Amino acid sequence: LSEENKRYLTIIRRNTERLINIVGDLLALSKLEEGEFPLNLEPVKLPLLVERVLKLFENQARLKDLLLKVEAPDNLPPVMGDPFKLEQVFINLLDNAIKYTDAGGVTITMALSGDAVTAKVSDTGTGIPQEHIPRIFERFYVADKSRSKKLGGTGLGLSIVKHIVLLHNGTVRAESTTGKGSAFIVSLPAVRS
């Protein structure tokens, strides 16, 4: 193959992978919105789940020289949740945090707050301009279009996060300062013993 043909094949492959990601995310979101994603609820220890998810991102973080950290108290109660779907929440949040962070790291801090377990995913990335915060959980909404396209984002990840968290009777919100990073705070009902 000539260099020009290799370049075209690379472009085709990248766009095909992007389309596959969009279709997969759209299917997941459609099922979530239609209530076709039954929850298989069980007590879930969030720190263990997050540690498992972090392992998926170790290589990506190492390539960018980012520090990944989990902070959680030993006595944190479990949440009643579907482990697979909760993993999707943290996969999406960590994927975004790492994509949009070029230096520093990502920290997941967990705590008990009233009757809920909160997990705050904080990064030291580019941040999100304040005017975009109210809309970032909308499907296809992208705050930084040029960067999202370059990084392969579909604009559906945060919408999926929101729907999964709502299915668990939880909440999710974002805080950000442009140039200093973002934090996504997920709150889920704790299992009381």
Side-chain angles (χ1 to χ4, degrees):
L1 285 175
S2 71
E3 282 305 311
E4 188 174 356
N5 284 344
K6 284 181 186 175
R7 192 171 60 82
Y8 285 127
L9 282 174
T10 301
I11 291 168
I12 290 167
R13 190 174 103 213
R14 190 173 63 237
N15 285 314
T16 302
E17 288 169 357
R18 185 168 154 73
L19 282 173
I20 289 168
N21 289 340
I22 289 171
V23 169
D25 283 353
L26 271 174
L27 284 171
L29 190 55
S30 170
K31 287 179 180 178
L32 284 165
E33 289 178 343
E34 296 298 318
E36 293 176 23
F37 251 41
L39 293 177
N40 299 311
L41 296 174
E42 61 183 72
V44 176
K45 294 187 181 219
L46 225 42
L48 296 178
L49 181 137
V50 169
E51 290 280 1
R52 276 198 314 269
V53 171
L54 269 185
K55 287 188 184 341
L56 303 173
F57 293 96
E58 284 176 348
N59 253 5
Q60 213 176 324
R62 194 171 19 256
L63 288 172
K64 294 177 86 173
D65 201 25
L66 299 177
L67 179 66
L68 299 180
K69 199 165 48 166
V70 176
E71 298 171 353
D74 293 335
N75 60 347
L76 195 66
V79 297
M80 189 57 73
D82 181 315
F84 175 74
K85 290 181 187 66
L86 290 178
E87 280 180 1
Q88 296 308 305
V89 166
F90 290 99
I91 286 170
N92 276 310
L93 292 177
L94 285 164
D95 186 47
N96 280 350
I98 291 168
K99 270 183 192 170
Y100 292 100
T101 302
D102 294 325
V106 179
T107 303
I108 301 98
T109 310
M110 287 171 247
L112 183 62
S113 178
D115 291 334
V117 172
T118 61
K120 182 177 186 176
V121 180
S122 307
D123 64 57
T124 56
T126 55
I128 304 162
Q130 287 304 306
E131 67 269 18
H132 293 289
I133 300 261
R135 299 195 56 202
I136 57 173
F137 292 102
E138 294 175 15
R139 61 168 62 190
F140 295 118
Y141 191 82
V142 177
D144 184 348
K145 290 176 183 28
S146 64
R147 188 150 180 183
S148 178
K149 190 170 187 173
K150 186 175 78 180
L151 298 172
T154 64
L156 295 167
L158 289 178
S159 191
I160 290 170
V161 165
K162 179 186 84 172
H163 280 83
I164 292 173
V165 170
L166 290 175
L167 275 178
H168 284 82
N169 298 314
T171 61
V172 61
R173 62 187 174 84
E175 300 171 347
S176 187
T177 304
T178 308
K180 293 191 176 175
S182 302
F184 287 83
I185 300 100
V186 174
S187 185
L188 298 163
V191 174
R192 289 298 184 180
S193 48

